Amino acid sequence: MFDMVIIQGRFTKCSLLLTCGLFLAVGCAEERSILPDLPRIEAPESFQADGLNWQREDGFSGSDTAVLSRFFQLQPGMQGSPAVAGVPVIYHGVQNRRRFYWVQGTADGPLWSCVEFSQGRYQFLEGTGNPYQTDAP
């Protein structure tokens, strides 16, 4: 039914291995060159948006965790969404305002999502490009 091919001889085995290795190397090299470099957005220490100054925080405080947890309780459909995957970058504004940003690079440019907490209310924002661009004067 099945024929088994037995490769004998050291030279033949080495030639076959080299040929396979070169084929894989060339194929992988071409594949790497096809993939675009994804844009990377660095989160600044501070920026202005909507007429407010926003200051980046180094991590989650207890109140940040409570605020974001409450958002997901109110919006259970957002739990597990790719738009809010991973650890957000947190910014604090005046009067207990907070913004939680998630930024993902794509071949078409950065996609971002933001949960803003202000005066006891939540707002979900999303867009493309750099979400931290300072407002024009």
Side-chain angles (χ1 to χ4, degrees):
M1 278 182 153
F2 294 103
D3 293 325
M4 184 183 290
V5 176
I6 299 175
I7 300 173
Q8 293 183 343
R10 188 174 186 179
F11 180 74
T12 306
K13 287 180 185 177
C14 288
S15 296
L16 183 60
L17 287 173
L18 282 173
T19 302
C20 289
L22 286 173
F23 178 73
L24 289 174
V26 169
C28 291
E30 287 179 22
E31 191 172 311
R32 261 186 265 126
S33 66
I34 292 172
L35 296 175
D37 289 333
L38 297 179
R40 187 173 167 105
I41 302 281
E42 294 294 328
E45 289 293 320
S46 63
F47 71 101
Q48 267 195 331
D50 299 327
L52 299 171
N53 291 321
W54 296 92
Q55 182 68 37
R56 188 178 78 205
E57 299 298 320
D58 291 330
F60 276 91
S61 68
S63 61
D64 291 329
T65 302
V67 165
L68 198 54
S69 294
R70 181 71 179 141
F71 169 78
F72 285 116
Q73 287 174 347
L74 294 171
Q75 301 293 326
M78 292 298 295
Q79 293 179 19
S81 168
V84 292
V87 178
V89 177
I90 304 166
Y91 284 88
H92 285 189
V94 295
Q95 298 176 342
N96 202 28
R97 294 176 188 214
R98 293 180 174 92
R99 281 188 172 184
F100 303 88
Y101 282 96
W102 292 267
V103 181
Q104 292 119 19
T106 69
D108 295 330
L111 295 176
W112 58 269
S113 301
C114 174
V115 170
E116 181 178 339
F117 177 75
S118 176
Q119 300 174 348
R121 303 180 96 165
Y122 292 94
Q123 184 176 8
F124 182 74
L125 310 165
E126 54 188 345
T128 59
N130 186 344
Y132 311 117
Q133 287 182 325
T134 301
D135 287 343

